[in-house]
Amino acid sequence: MLKNLLAIAATLILMSACAEQKPTMPQQEITFCEIVNKYRDIYVSESNKDFYIDKEAKLASIFSDRTTQLIQVLGDGNIVGWQGYIKQILSSKEGAFLEVTLPCKVELKPQDNLIIKINTPLYESLRNFHEKSEIHFSGNFLVSPTNVPSEFPYKAYYGETSFTETGSMREPELLFMFRELK
């Protein structure tokens, strides 16, 4: 009798835990964050070393390697079902700008001309959220249409807004156009 009760209790606990699990991150987002974190750690470690003759070249190589890996993961820049937290919602009389932080501390920011216009489905769904809300979203990283790294604001393929290589590696800020919020 006691064994049966313990088995039932264990089964109920397991079922409850499974029912409360949050959806997992898409593999593309997991891989993206792994790359960002890996190269951030390598870059910071190398930056903290005492000066040596080719330190700047080594740091540039780390940046280039990360860029190559992110290009492979992001492909055309289109993503679906990623997770993050709303960092900031800036509103204006035309609409709103949305900034989101990913679990790997990457900031997704709008380009100036990518306002979420009032009276659009995206704006209406944004009304359901506030700063620090966890969201699931879809959209596009702003990537070079020719698949060639741009020169501004920095030499990154995927719309990096940091003005320095160090900023890009330590606190990446990427241009993003939101298409859907949940």
Side-chain angles (χ1 to χ4, degrees):
M1 176 80 167
L2 183 57
K3 281 185 179 179
N4 288 343
L5 288 175
L6 289 174
I8 291 171
T11 302
L12 290 174
I13 291 170
L14 182 61
M15 288 174 52
S16 173
C18 289
E20 292 176 17
Q21 285 182 343
K22 292 182 180 181
T24 59
M25 288 186 350
Q27 186 59 49
Q28 184 186 28
E29 184 177 8
I30 292 168
T31 304
F32 175 89
C33 283
E34 287 171 348
I35 291 168
V36 167
N37 289 333
K38 172 186 171 185
Y39 284 97
R40 177 189 292 132
D41 293 345
I42 293 169
Y43 191 91
V44 168
S45 174
E46 203 65 31
S47 296
N48 291 336
K49 290 181 181 177
D50 288 337
F51 174 79
Y52 55 91
I53 195 88
D54 63 343
K55 183 175 183 176
E56 293 304 316
K58 178 67 175 171
L59 293 174
S61 175
I62 295 166
F63 175 83
S64 178
D65 290 348
R66 183 192 74 167
T67 299
T68 300
Q69 296 238 341
L70 290 178
I71 288 170
Q72 291 173 354
V73 169
L74 293 178
D76 65 359
N78 184 45
I79 60 101
V80 176
W82 281 31
Q83 298 175 25
Y85 293 89
I86 294 178
K87 178 181 180 183
Q88 189 171 27
I89 301 171
L90 301 170
S91 60
S92 74
K93 60 184 176 184
E94 289 98 30
F97 290 98
L98 176 63
E99 294 181 10
V100 170
T101 303
L102 299 178
C104 52
K105 300 179 184 168
V106 171
E107 304 289 329
L108 301 182
K109 298 181 174 256
Q111 194 170 24
D112 290 342
N113 62 347
L114 293 178
I115 193 167
I116 299 171
K117 300 214 182 279
I118 292 176
N119 298 325
T120 62
L122 186 57
Y123 187 87
E124 292 304 315
S125 65
L126 184 57
R127 290 176 178 264
N128 298 317
F129 299 101
H130 55 81
E131 292 178 0
K132 299 183 182 173
S133 290
E134 181 178 356
I135 61 167
H136 296 263
F137 59 93
S138 299
N140 292 83
F141 283 93
L142 302 184
V143 296
S144 169
T146 59
N147 295 341
V148 176
S150 65
E151 293 297 321
F152 182 81
Y154 201 73
K155 299 174 184 171
Y157 168 88
Y158 37 80
E160 170 68 50
T161 65
S162 299
F163 286 100
T164 66
E165 180 182 277
T166 300
S168 171
M169 295 301 290
R170 291 177 183 249
E171 298 174 353
E173 297 176 344
L174 307 179
L175 294 176
F176 192 81
M177 182 172 61
F178 293 91
R179 189 174 55 245
E180 181 181 50
L181 305 172
K182 294 181 185 177

